[in-house]
C-alpha cells in the first residue's frame, strides 16, 4: 500500500480504538465521588480526598512504567504494547465493579496504571507512520478520537449509572476496552525496522533526549493545571444545582469540554502546522486559563457549562501540539521511548493535579481550585513563550 494511504488507513483504525478506550475510561468519571459515597464514605471532605487519591492512583504506576514500555516498544514494536495496555486495563477495570471498600478501588487503580499507555502508544505508532508535513493534522485528528470518547463516555456513564447502578458500568467499561484491543489486533499491521546495535544505543540515547526536556516540563505543568479540577467538578456541580438527574447532568458538565474539543483539536492542529507548535501552545494556554473565570464565579449550572465549553475549545490543541514537538525533536530510533517519557510527564501531572485540587477544595473551598489552576496555566504559557527550543526544529540526527 502506498505510504499516504497507509498512514491514513492506520489513522482511522487507531481513531476508533482510541475512541473505545477513552469512552470506557470516562464512563466512570461522573459518578466516581458518588460511588465512593456508596462504598461507605459520607463526609464531603473525605469524599473529595478519597476521590482525589483514587483518580491520582492510576497515574502513580503509570508515571513509573511509561518510559519502560516506550523503550520496549522501540525494540519490540508498538502494537504489542497497545495490546498489553488494552487487554490489561479491560480486566482490571471490570474488577472495579466488585469492590466493597474504597481502598480496594484505590488498589485496583494502582494496578490499572501498570497496564496503561494505550493512547500514548497509539500516538507513537501514528507519528511513526505519518509524513512530517502532516503531523499536526494527523495527530490532531487522532486526538479527536480520544476527545469523542471523553465526550460520549461521561454522558453514557451518567445515564447508565442512574439506570443499572454504578458497579455494572465498570463491566461495560472493561468490555469497551476489550473491543479497542481487538480492533488493533485484527486491523493494524506494524512495519518494524531493525533495532540499532545495543552499544550504539547506550552511547547516544541520553544525549538525544536533551532537546526534549522542555517538552516534558511543559507537559507536566499543563497537565497539573488541567487535572486539578477533575475530582471536584461533580461535587461542585452538586453544590450549585439542586434539581433532579444529578448523575446525567454531572456527565454533561464533564462531557461539554469534549464537545468543544472536537472543534478545537483539529483546528489548532492545523494552526500549529502553519505558525508553529510553540505559538499555538501559548495561545491555547492563555485562553484556557481565562476560561476558568466563569467557572470560579459560577452561581448556577449554566455559567459552569459555559466556562467548561470555553475551556474545551482551547485545551484540545495542547496535547497534539506537544505530541508533534516530540515527533519533530526525537530521532526515529528513540521515538517510542520519547513518547513514553512525555506520557510519564502527563501522568505525573495527572497524579499531582487531582491531589492538589482535592486538598485545595477541602481546605480552602472550591473557588480556590479554579484560581490556582488558572495561575498554573498562565505560568505555563510564560514558560512556553520564553523557551525558544520549543520551536520544533529537529536538533538531533536520525
Amino acid at each position: 500500500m502506498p505510504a499516504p494511504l497507509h498512514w491514513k488507513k492506520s489513522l482511522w483504525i487507531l481513531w476508533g480504538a482510541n475512541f473505545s478506550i477513552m469512552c470506557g475510561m470516562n464512563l466512570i468519571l461522573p459518578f466516581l465521588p458518588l460511588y465512593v459515597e456508596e462504598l461507605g464514605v459520607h463526609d464531603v471532605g473525605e469524599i473529595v480526598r478519597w476521590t482525589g487519591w483514587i483518580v491520582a492512583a492510576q497515574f502513580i504506576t503509570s508515571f513509573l512504567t511509561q518510559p519502560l514500555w516506550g523503550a520496549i516498544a522501540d525494540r519490540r514494536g508498538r502494537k504489542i504494547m497497545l495490546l498489553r495496555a488494552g487487554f490489561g486495563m479491560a480486566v482490571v477495570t471490570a474488577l472495579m465493579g466488585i469492590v466493597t471498600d474504597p481502598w480496594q478501588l484505590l488498589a485496583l487503580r494502582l494496578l490499572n496504571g501498570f497496564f496503561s499507555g494505550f493512547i500514548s502508544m497509539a500516538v507513537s505508532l501514528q507519528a511513526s507512520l505519518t509524513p512530517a508535513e502532516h503531523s499536526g493534522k494527523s495527530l490532531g485528528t487522532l486526538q479527536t478520537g480520544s476527545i469523542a470518547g471523553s465526550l460520549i463516555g461521561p454522558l453514557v456513564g451518567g445515564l447508565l449509572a442512574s439506570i443499572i447502578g454504578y458497579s455494572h458500568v465498570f463491566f461495560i467499561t472493561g468490555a469497551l476496552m476489550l473491543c479497542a484491543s481487538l480492533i488493533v489486533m485484527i486491523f493494524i499491521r506494524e512495519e518494524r525496522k531493525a533495532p540499532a546495535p545495543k552499544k550504539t544505543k547506550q552511547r547516544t540515547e541520553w544525549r538525544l533526549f536533551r532537546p526534549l526536556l522542555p517538552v516534558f516540563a511543559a507537559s507536566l505543568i499543563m497537565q497539573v493545571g488541567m487535572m486539578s479540577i477533575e475530582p471536584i467538578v461533580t461535587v461542585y456541580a452538586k453544590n450549585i444545582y439542586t434539581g433532579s438527574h444529578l448523575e446525567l447532568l454531572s456527565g454533561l458538565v464533564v462531557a461539554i469540554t469534549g464537545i468543544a474539543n472536537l472543534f478545537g483539536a483539529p483546528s489548532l492542529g492545523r494552526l500549529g502546522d502553519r505558525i508553529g507548535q510553540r505559538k499555538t501552545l501559548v495561545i491555547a494556554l492563555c485562553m484556557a486559563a481565562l476560561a476558568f473565570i466563569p467557572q470560579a464565579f459560577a452561581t448556577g449550572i449554566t455559567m459552569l457549562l459555559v466556562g467548561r465549553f470555553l475551556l474545551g475549545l482551547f485545551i484540545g490543541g495542547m496535547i497534539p501540539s506537544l505530541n508533534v514537538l516530540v515527533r519533530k525533536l526525537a530521532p526515529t530510533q528513540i521515538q517510542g521511548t520519547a513518547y513514553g517519557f512525555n506520557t510519564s510527564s502527563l501522568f505525573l501531572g495527572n497524579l499531582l493535579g487531582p491531589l492538589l485540587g482535592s486538598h485545595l477544595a477541602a481546605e480552602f473551598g472550591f473557588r480556590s481550585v479554579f484560581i490556582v489552576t488558572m495561575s498554573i496555566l498562565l505560568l505555563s504559557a510564560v514558560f512556553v513563550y520564553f523557551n525558544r527550543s520549543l520551536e520544533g526544529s529537529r536538533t538531533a540526527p536520525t
Side-chain angles (χ1 to χ4, degrees), residues 354-365:
L355 296 179
L356 173 66
S358 59
H359 283 79
L360 280 173
E363 296 295 331
F364 304 107

Side-chain angles (χ1 to χ4, degrees), residues 20-21 23-28 85-97 112 160 166-182:
S20 299
I21 285 287
C23 185
M25 291 176 66
N26 283 275
L27 280 174
I28 67 174
F87 288 125
M89 288 192 298
V91 173
V92 175
T93 302
L95 291 175
M96 294 180 191
N112 210 35
L160 287 175
Y166 302 139
S167 59
H168 290 85
V169 180
F170 288 97
F171 304 143
I172 295 174
T173 300
L176 282 172
M177 293 178 174
L178 179 63
C179 289
S181 305
L182 291 173

Side-chain angles (χ1 to χ4, degrees), residues 278 282 380-390:
R278 185 178 67 89
V282 171
S380 182
V382 172
F383 170 79
V384 172
Y385 179 79
F386 286 105
N387 201 311
R388 299 289 176 179
S389 64
L390 292 176

Side-chain angles (χ1 to χ4, degrees), residues 90-159:
V91 173
V92 175
T93 302
L95 291 175
M96 294 180 191
I98 62 174
V99 300
T100 56
D101 289 293
W103 70 264
Q104 295 172 348
L105 184 59
L106 180 68
L108 285 173
R109 289 280 295 180
L110 282 168
L111 181 60
N112 210 35
F114 178 81
F115 291 106
S116 66
F118 188 98
I119 302 298
S120 65
M121 283 297 105
V123 170
S124 177
L125 177 57
Q126 185 60 35
S128 69
L129 297 172
T130 305
E133 64 270 19
H134 297 295
S135 292
K137 177 183 177 181
S138 174
L139 297 185
T141 301
L142 183 61
Q143 179 75 2
T144 63
S146 303
I147 293 166
S150 301
L151 159 64
I152 294 175
L155 290 174
V156 175
L159 181 62

Side-chain angles (χ1 to χ4, degrees), residues 189-205:
R189 293 184 179 180
E190 181 182 10
E191 296 178 5
R192 291 173 49 207
K193 297 178 181 179
K198 189 174 181 181
K199 290 183 179 180
T200 302
K201 291 204 297 184
Q202 289 175 341
R203 288 198 304 267
T204 62
E205 263 189 11

